[in-house]
Amino acid sequence: MAYYLDMKLVLILVERKGLYEHKGVSYPFELYNGAIFPVEKKAQNAFFLKYLFLENHPANKDWLYIPAENEDFEDQVKQLMREIAKHNPLLGLTVKFDGPKVKSDTSKAKSKSGKKIRATKKSENAYFLSIAKKPVK
């Protein structure tokens, strides 16, 4: 489950037990069973100094991780949740939207080669002509 705040991804909760290896390296904790806190690499030292229980997640350099197998998992997650509630600007990654581009109504249609193209108006024209030919009462 992913949690967002102010267009930033701030928390990912994962539960996939039994995976200790990533790219041929074994880790002393399950990689996808716990809480992931996205924090830019350059801002992570501030969190490591304050929260000694955090781990770097090997799958993404911008993730800090709390394994669910930690004895104080719930208390540790609550501490980071307080940072989220305070809107700590160092916590979270801005969401990048790669969805379809929406064209504005004022833009002119162009083909892939960059040339202007005409939209077919045959059915519209036929409709308007049929209205124009009707006798007025």
Side-chain angles (χ1 to χ4, degrees):
M1 296 183 74
Y3 293 88
Y4 298 84
L5 180 67
D6 299 330
M7 296 301 291
K8 289 173 84 174
L9 175 61
V10 293
L11 171 64
I12 304 167
L13 295 175
V14 292
E15 185 176 11
R16 184 175 170 201
K17 297 183 179 193
L19 188 62
Y20 290 88
E21 193 173 308
H22 178 71
K23 293 186 178 180
V25 178
S26 293
Y27 293 89
F29 51 84
E30 290 180 306
L31 298 179
Y32 294 100
N33 189 30
I36 296 171
F37 294 90
V39 176
E40 285 187 34
K41 182 84 170 140
K42 60 186 176 188
Q44 290 179 359
N45 287 339
F47 286 94
F48 283 128
L49 291 172
K50 190 171 182 180
Y51 304 106
L52 302 175
F53 51 83
L54 287 170
E55 304 276 352
N56 278 322
H57 198 282
N60 188 323
K61 64 180 171 114
D62 289 331
W63 288 356
L64 299 178
Y65 182 62
I66 303 173
E69 56 203 30
N70 285 6
E71 285 182 30
D72 300 324
F73 175 75
E74 289 179 17
D75 291 330
Q76 293 169 349
V77 171
K78 284 179 186 178
Q79 290 178 42
L80 270 292
M81 291 296 292
R82 284 189 209 107
E83 292 288 339
I84 292 171
K86 291 180 197 175
H87 293 266
N88 184 330
L90 299 176
L91 188 59
L93 296 174
T94 304
V95 178
K96 295 175 184 169
F97 179 71
D98 289 337
K101 306 259 189 240
V102 179
K103 291 183 181 180
S104 66
D105 292 338
T106 59
S107 67
K108 302 213 180 212
K110 292 188 177 184
S111 69
K112 289 183 181 180
S113 64
K115 295 180 181 177
K116 290 181 185 178
I117 58 170
R118 274 191 201 164
T120 62
K121 300 267 184 175
K122 249 184 191 176
S123 59
E124 266 184 61
N125 291 340
Y127 173 71
F128 289 124
L129 285 172
S130 69
I131 293 172
K133 290 179 182 178
K134 287 186 181 179
V136 180
K137 294 181 184 179

